[in-house]
Every structure is written in C-alpha cells, then in structure tokens.
Amino acid sequence: MLGILSLRSRIPAAIRPLIRCLSVSAVKLQKESEVERWDKLENTFYGPERDHKNFPMLKIRETSPPVRLGFIPESFFQFFYEKTGVTGPYLFGAGVLTVLLSKEIWVVDHEFGEILSVWAAFLFLFYKVGPMLRDYTLKESKETLEKEWLKPIQQLRRYGDVMSEKMERYLWEQEGKKYLFEAKKENALLQLEAMYRERLQNVHQQVKQRLDYQIDIQNVKRRFEQEHMVNWITRNVIANITPQQEKESIAKCISDLKSLSAAQ
C-alpha cells in the first residue's frame, strides 16, 4: 500500500488525468469485449441458424420422473400398457423373478434374509422419511430459487421500472428545457431592448441638456447685450440733457397734464 502511494506521489500532476482517462478507456474496452462475447454466445445457442426442432435446448427437470414401487419408472409401465394391458408389467416382473429363481441365477442362501431386511428398511424409509425429505428439499429449492433467481429478477425489474420512469422524466425535462431556453432567450432579448431604450433615452437627455445649455448661453448673451445697449443709450441720453431742457420738459409735462385735466 505504501509502495502504491509512493508511486502515485511520484506521478506528475500533469499526466494524472491522462492516466485516469486511459484506465477508464481500458475498463470500457473490457466491458465491450464481455458484451461482444455474450452476444456471440447468444447467437451461437439461440441464433436463427440453430435447428431448434432437431437439436432443441436441453432443459433441466425440476423433479425426477414418476416411479412406481419406489424405483420402477412410470415409462416402463406405459411401455407395456400399449402392448399387454394393465397386468403386463407385473406379469413380466413376476416371470423374470421366477426365471431367476428357477434357473438358480439368483441363488437363495442363508444371506437372503438380509436382502429382505434391506428392502423392508428401504420401503420404510421411502414411505416414512421420503415425504419429509421431499418436502424439505422442495422447500430449500424454492427458497434458493426465490433468493438466487426470482428475487434478483424482481429487483432488477423494479430497478428497470424506476430507471425507465427517471429516463421518461429526464426526457420530459429535456423537452421542457427547450421552451425554457426559448423563454430565457426572449428574456435576454427583452433585457437588451430595455437596456438599449434606456441608453437611447440617456443619450437624448444628454443631448437635450447640452442644447438647452447652448440656448441658455445665447439667451443670456442676448439679454446682456440688450441691457448693456439700453443702459448705454439711457446714460448717453441723460448725459446729453441740459438743465434748461429738463426744466422745459417738466413744464411741458405739467401743462399737458393741466390741459388733460381741463378737458375732462
């Protein structure tokens, strides 16, 4: 562990992402090779080129074939039923046993009792212990089947359903993102339009203020010139009026006022 850490510490930081990418690529290539191998096996055993009629797939039987008397297959009796009827298998067995005993092929000696005791023990175990053992093995096989096969398949199905719902929701969200993108785009365009109008209004106000400033300058200059001209003319006129002219103008005004009052 320390050697691995020291080796990692010696790797430059610049090439660590490259090494990580290479490791991820190696894992992906391994997975792809495994998938290709399974696809090849699938095509070999279950592909269209296989003759399933003449070479069907072998299936493991869940239970053993039915028997009679504890050890004779049911197919043996069915074979004789078509040719000899119901009693044929039993007569055949009795005849074979008679031939074996009469020809002394099966010699009956002092150990023959052991055979009877063994068969008696076998029948006792078959009829008494057999059902319990059968129920136990069936229970264990069902639990194993449920635990090792059915339950994982159900979990995978539920996981597949959940992932399918997630993918459908993801696709629905992706479809909604298109409208969201359009809305954001329109919102950005509206913001740009508002900013453009705000800047255009700002430019208009700045130009108007500067034009108003120039107009104010012209008005002030004109008013100053008028006032200066009026004051200059007034001062010159007052300066050119003599005291005698002033007395005559005052007298003329008084006489005009008296004539106006008399006329009224």
Side-chain angles (χ1 to χ4, degrees):
M1 186 68 184
L2 294 176
I4 295 174
L5 293 176
S6 62
L7 181 60
R8 288 183 178 178
S9 62
R10 295 175 185 175
I11 297 175
I15 65 173
R16 287 181 184 176
L18 179 59
I19 295 175
R20 189 178 298 109
C21 293
L22 291 175
S23 62
V24 172
S25 301
V27 172
K28 289 183 178 179
L29 290 174
Q30 185 179 1
K31 290 182 178 179
E32 291 177 358
S33 63
E34 291 292 332
V35 172
E36 291 177 357
R37 186 169 67 86
W38 280 106
D39 290 338
K40 184 178 179 180
L41 292 174
E42 181 75 16
N43 294 327
T44 302
F45 288 97
Y46 301 100
E49 297 181 357
R50 176 164 182 164
D51 187 3
H52 293 277
K53 183 177 180 180
N54 297 322
F55 301 95
M57 294 297 299
L58 297 178
K59 295 183 180 180
I60 301 176
R61 298 175 60 91
E62 294 183 0
T63 58
S64 60
V67 296
R68 291 189 184 183
L69 302 177
F71 66 99
I72 303 176
E74 179 68 23
S75 59
F76 174 79
F77 293 89
Q78 297 296 331
F79 173 77
F80 278 95
Y81 285 167
E82 297 177 357
K83 298 176 176 59
T84 61
V86 178
T87 59
Y90 303 100
L91 292 176
F92 176 78
V96 171
L97 182 61
T98 302
V99 170
L100 293 175
L101 293 175
S102 64
K103 298 297 182 179
E104 294 186 357
I105 298 174
W106 187 5
V107 179
V108 178
D109 53 5
H110 60 279
E111 294 180 355
F112 187 77
E114 297 180 0
I115 297 176
L116 297 178
S117 62
V118 169
W119 275 104
F122 173 77
L123 293 176
F124 175 79
L125 293 175
F126 180 79
Y127 287 106
K128 296 297 181 180
V129 182
M132 295 186 292
L133 184 61
R134 180 191 59 195
D135 295 338
Y136 174 76
T137 54
L138 289 176
K139 181 180 178 182
E140 289 293 328
S141 63
K142 288 182 180 180
E143 291 179 355
T144 304
L145 179 65
E146 181 73 22
K147 181 179 179 181
E148 299 294 337
W149 295 96
L150 298 180
K151 189 174 181 180
I153 291 174
Q154 292 177 358
Q155 291 178 354
L156 288 175
R157 287 178 178 176
R158 288 195 296 268
Y159 178 75
D161 294 337
V162 172
M163 291 302 297
S164 177
E165 293 178 357
K166 288 184 178 180
M167 292 302 297
E168 290 178 357
R169 182 175 180 82
Y170 177 74
L171 293 175
W172 176 73
E173 291 177 355
Q174 292 298 321
E175 292 178 357
K177 285 184 179 179
K178 178 177 68 176
Y179 301 103
L180 180 61
F181 177 76
E182 294 294 335
K184 288 184 177 180
K185 184 178 179 181
E186 292 180 359
N187 189 13
L189 292 176
L190 290 174
Q191 291 179 359
L192 291 174
E193 182 68 20
M195 189 179 296
Y196 169 75
R197 291 179 180 273
E198 182 180 359
R199 292 181 178 179
L200 187 63
Q201 184 179 3
N202 188 14
V203 171
H204 177 267
Q205 291 177 356
Q206 294 293 330
V207 172
K208 184 176 180 299
Q209 289 177 2
R210 293 180 182 179
L211 291 176
D212 293 339
Y213 176 73
Q214 295 295 329
I215 291 172
D216 291 337
I217 290 175
Q218 295 293 331
N219 292 331
V220 171
K221 185 177 179 181
R222 188 180 299 108
R223 187 171 59 252
F224 178 75
E225 291 176 351
Q226 289 177 356
E227 291 178 358
H228 178 70
M229 183 62 70
V230 170
N231 292 330
W232 179 73
I233 293 171
T234 303
R235 285 197 304 272
N236 289 332
V237 170
I238 293 173
N240 291 326
I241 295 174
T242 59
Q244 184 62 32
Q245 291 176 349
E246 186 177 359
K247 289 179 180 180
E248 290 177 356
S249 62
I250 291 172
K252 183 72 170 62
C253 289
I254 292 172
S255 63
D256 291 336
L257 291 171
K258 287 181 178 180
S259 60
L260 288 172
S261 63
Q264 291 179 355

